[in-house]
Every structure is written in structure tokens, then in C-alpha cells.
Amino acid sequence: MKQKDIIQKYQNAEEIYLLTRKKVFSVKEKIFDWAVVLLSPIPGIVEEADAFSDMGTYYLVAMPNRKLLIRDSGSEFSETDITENYEQKGRSFVFDGNRFTKISRIFKTKNFNG
């Protein structure tokens, strides 16, 4: 799906944001990553491997009483209601072991002042 398709599908949204995703690493994963940095010329390999394993595009759809996390991988499309788990800190929020950061707002209703 393209951005215009997302906007068309969620016309009743107050706002729609394009997101980036980064895995929130456990202490063990951080230690492993540092060990790789010390023992090889490939720093940040764990983060790169995670980014390569999930090349989907993410969107946050803010509706009057719901927050939806949308993942579009080109061949698959998923929608997850994250309303109960949504707690924004600045431009980012954490959900399901991933930190999502708002890159840009791609849609805003004309009558929404948020």
C-alpha cells in the first residue's frame, strides 16, 4: 500500500504518522553487540540484522478513541490496536519490544487541533 492508500483507508483518522522502528535490545543483546564490535570490524551488527529482518513500513493512525499501529510490508498488511498500550514519550513510543518514532505526519483532519 502507498501512503495515499493508507490515508484513503483511514479517512476517519485525526492524524496519521509515518514511523521508524528500532528493536529495544535486552542487556544480553547489548553485551553481544559490544562483543561483536570488539572482535570484528562490523559494529552494530545486531541492530543491522534486526533492521534487515523487518523491512516493513509502519504508520500510527490516531483516531478519536483508538490508536492503530499499521505495518505494510508490500505483500502483507497488518493492523494492531495499541490503544491500551500506547504511551507516547516525545515523538516516540514503545510497543512489543520495539521503539517507534514519528518521522512525519502524512495526514491531519481539517477540524483536528491536536
Coordinates of all heavy atoms in Angstrom, one line a residue, residues 49-82:
A49 N 21.1 -6.4 11.6 CA 20.4 -7.6 11.3 C 18.9 -7.5 11.6 O 18.1 -8.0 10.8 CB 21.0 -8.8 12.1
D50 N 18.6 -6.8 12.7 CA 17.2 -6.6 13.0 C 16.5 -5.8 12.0 O 15.4 -6.1 11.5 CB 17.0 -6.0 14.4 CG 15.6 -5.7 14.7 OD1 14.8 -6.6 14.8 OD2 15.2 -4.5 14.9
A51 N 17.1 -4.7 11.6 CA 16.5 -3.8 10.6 C 16.3 -4.5 9.2 O 15.3 -4.4 8.6 CB 17.4 -2.6 10.4
F52 N 17.3 -5.4 8.9 CA 17.2 -6.1 7.6 C 16.1 -7.2 7.7 O 15.4 -7.5 6.7 CB 18.5 -6.8 7.3 CG 18.5 -7.5 6.0 CD1 18.5 -6.7 4.8 CD2 18.5 -8.8 5.9 CE1 18.5 -7.3 3.6 CE2 18.5 -9.5 4.6 CZ 18.5 -8.7 3.5
S53 N 15.8 -7.7 8.9 CA 14.8 -8.8 9.1 C 13.4 -8.3 9.0 O 12.5 -9.0 8.7 CB 15.0 -9.6 10.4 OG 14.6 -8.7 11.5
D54 N 13.2 -7.0 9.2 CA 11.9 -6.4 9.1 C 12.0 -5.1 8.3 O 12.3 -4.0 8.8 CB 11.3 -6.1 10.5 CG 9.9 -5.5 10.4 OD1 9.3 -5.3 9.3 OD2 9.3 -5.3 11.5
M55 N 11.7 -5.2 7.0 CA 11.8 -4.0 6.1 C 10.4 -3.4 5.9 O 10.2 -2.7 4.9 CB 12.4 -4.5 4.8 CG 13.7 -5.2 4.9 SD 15.1 -4.2 4.8 CE 15.1 -3.6 3.2
G56 N 9.4 -3.7 6.8 CA 8.1 -3.1 6.6 C 8.0 -1.6 6.9 O 8.9 -1.1 7.5
T57 N 7.0 -1.0 6.4 CA 6.7 0.4 6.7 C 5.7 0.5 7.7 O 4.7 -0.2 7.7 CB 6.2 1.1 5.4 OG1 7.2 0.9 4.4 CG2 6.0 2.6 5.6
Y58 N 5.9 1.4 8.7 CA 4.9 1.5 9.8 C 4.3 2.8 9.9 O 4.9 3.8 9.5 CB 5.7 1.2 11.2 CG 6.1 -0.2 11.4 CD1 7.3 -0.6 10.9 CD2 5.3 -1.1 12.1 CE1 7.7 -2.0 11.0 CE2 5.7 -2.4 12.2 CZ 6.9 -2.8 11.7 OH 7.3 -4.1 11.9
Y59 N 3.0 2.8 10.3 CA 2.2 4.0 10.5 C 1.5 4.0 11.8 O 1.1 2.9 12.3 CB 1.1 4.1 9.4 CG 1.7 4.1 8.0 CD1 1.8 2.9 7.2 CD2 2.1 5.3 7.4 CE1 2.4 3.0 6.0 CE2 2.6 5.3 6.1 CZ 2.7 4.2 5.4 OH 3.2 4.2 4.1
L60 N 1.3 5.1 12.4 CA 0.4 5.3 13.6 C -0.8 6.0 13.1 O -0.7 7.1 12.5 CB 1.1 6.1 14.6 CG 0.2 6.5 15.9 CD1 -0.1 5.2 16.6 CD2 0.9 7.5 16.8
V61 N -2.0 5.4 13.3 CA -3.2 6.0 12.9 C -3.9 6.4 14.2 O -4.3 5.6 15.0 CB -4.1 5.0 12.1 CG1 -5.5 5.7 11.8 CG2 -3.4 4.6 10.8
A62 N -4.1 7.7 14.4 CA -4.7 8.3 15.6 C -6.1 8.6 15.3 O -6.4 9.5 14.6 CB -3.9 9.5 16.1
M63 N -7.0 7.8 15.9 CA -8.5 8.0 15.8 C -9.0 8.6 17.1 O -8.3 8.6 18.1 CB -9.1 6.7 15.4 CG -8.6 6.1 14.2 SD -9.1 4.4 13.9 CE -10.3 4.7 12.6
P64 N -10.3 9.1 17.1 CA -10.8 9.7 18.3 C -10.6 8.9 19.6 O -10.3 9.4 20.6 CB -12.3 10.0 17.9 CG -12.3 10.1 16.5 CD -11.2 9.2 16.0
N65 N -10.9 7.6 19.5 CA -10.8 6.8 20.7 C -9.8 5.6 20.6 O -9.9 4.7 21.4 CB -12.2 6.3 21.1 CG -13.1 7.4 21.5 OD1 -12.7 8.3 22.2 ND2 -14.3 7.4 20.9
R66 N -9.1 5.6 19.5 CA -8.2 4.4 19.3 C -6.9 4.9 18.7 O -6.8 5.9 18.0 CB -8.8 3.5 18.3 CG -10.0 2.7 18.8 CD -10.7 1.9 17.8 NE -9.8 1.2 16.9 CZ -10.3 0.4 15.9 NH1 -11.5 0.2 15.7 NH2 -9.4 -0.2 15.1
K67 N -5.8 4.1 18.9 CA -4.5 4.2 18.2 C -4.2 2.9 17.6 O -4.3 1.8 18.2 CB -3.4 4.5 19.3 CG -3.6 5.8 20.1 CD -3.3 7.0 19.3 CE -3.2 8.2 20.2 NZ -4.5 8.9 20.3
L68 N -4.0 3.0 16.3 CA -3.7 1.8 15.5 C -2.2 1.8 15.0 O -1.8 2.8 14.5 CB -4.6 1.6 14.3 CG -6.1 1.6 14.6 CD1 -6.9 1.6 13.3 CD2 -6.4 0.3 15.4
L69 N -1.5 0.7 15.1 CA -0.2 0.5 14.5 C -0.4 -0.3 13.3 O -0.9 -1.4 13.3 CB 0.7 -0.2 15.5 CG 2.1 -0.5 15.0 CD1 2.9 0.9 14.8 CD2 2.9 -1.3 16.0
I70 N 0.0 0.3 12.1 CA -0.1 -0.3 10.8 C 1.2 -0.7 10.3 O 2.2 0.0 10.4 CB -0.8 0.7 9.8 CG1 -2.1 1.3 10.4 CG2 -1.0 0.0 8.5 CD1 -3.2 0.3 10.7
R71 N 1.3 -2.0 9.9 CA 2.6 -2.5 9.2 C 2.2 -2.9 7.8 O 1.3 -3.7 7.6 CB 3.1 -3.7 10.0 CG 4.4 -4.2 9.3 CD 5.0 -5.4 10.1 NE 6.2 -5.8 9.5 CZ 6.3 -6.7 8.5 NH1 5.2 -7.1 7.9 NH2 7.5 -7.0 8.0
D72 N 3.0 -2.3 6.9 CA 2.8 -2.7 5.5 C 4.2 -3.1 4.9 O 5.1 -2.4 4.9 CB 2.4 -1.4 4.7 CG 2.2 -1.7 3.2 OD1 2.1 -2.8 2.8 OD2 2.1 -0.7 2.5
S73 N 4.2 -4.4 4.6 CA 5.5 -5.0 4.0 C 5.4 -5.1 2.5 O 6.4 -5.6 1.9 CB 5.8 -6.4 4.6 OG 4.8 -7.3 4.1
G74 N 4.4 -4.6 1.9 CA 4.3 -4.7 0.5 C 3.4 -5.9 0.1 O 2.4 -5.8 -0.6
S75 N 3.7 -7.1 0.7 CA 3.0 -8.3 0.4 C 2.0 -8.6 1.6 O 1.0 -9.3 1.4 CB 3.9 -9.5 0.2 OG 4.7 -9.7 1.4
E76 N 2.2 -8.0 2.7 CA 1.3 -8.2 3.9 C 1.0 -6.9 4.5 O 1.8 -5.9 4.5 CB 2.0 -9.1 5.0 CG 2.3 -10.5 4.6 CD 2.9 -11.2 5.7 OE1 2.9 -10.8 6.9 OE2 3.5 -12.3 5.5
F77 N -0.2 -6.8 5.1 CA -0.7 -5.6 5.7 C -1.3 -6.0 7.0 O -2.1 -7.0 7.1 CB -1.8 -4.9 4.8 CG -2.4 -3.7 5.4 CD1 -1.7 -2.5 5.3 CD2 -3.6 -3.8 6.1 CE1 -2.3 -1.4 5.8 CE2 -4.1 -2.6 6.7 CZ -3.5 -1.4 6.5
S78 N -0.9 -5.4 8.1 CA -1.5 -5.7 9.4 C -1.9 -4.5 10.2 O -1.3 -3.4 10.0 CB -0.5 -6.6 10.2 OG 0.6 -5.9 10.6
E79 N -2.9 -4.6 11.0 CA -3.4 -3.6 11.8 C -3.5 -4.1 13.3 O -4.1 -5.1 13.5 CB -4.8 -3.2 11.3 CG -5.5 -2.2 12.1 CD -6.9 -1.9 11.5 OE1 -7.0 -1.4 10.4 OE2 -7.9 -2.3 12.2
T80 N -2.9 -3.3 14.2 CA -2.9 -3.7 15.6 C -3.4 -2.6 16.4 O -2.9 -1.5 16.3 CB -1.5 -4.1 16.1 OG1 -1.0 -5.1 15.2 CG2 -1.5 -4.6 17.5
D81 N -4.4 -2.8 17.2 CA -5.0 -1.8 18.1 C -4.1 -1.7 19.3 O -3.9 -2.7 20.1 CB -6.4 -2.2 18.6 CG -7.1 -1.0 19.3 OD1 -6.4 -0.2 19.9 OD2 -8.3 -1.0 19.3
I82 N -3.4 -0.6 19.5 CA -2.4 -0.4 20.6 C -2.9 0.6 21.6 O -2.2 1.1 22.5 CB -1.0 0.0 20.1 CG1 -1.1 1.4 19.3 CG2 -0.5 -1.1 19.2 CD1 0.3 1.9 19.0

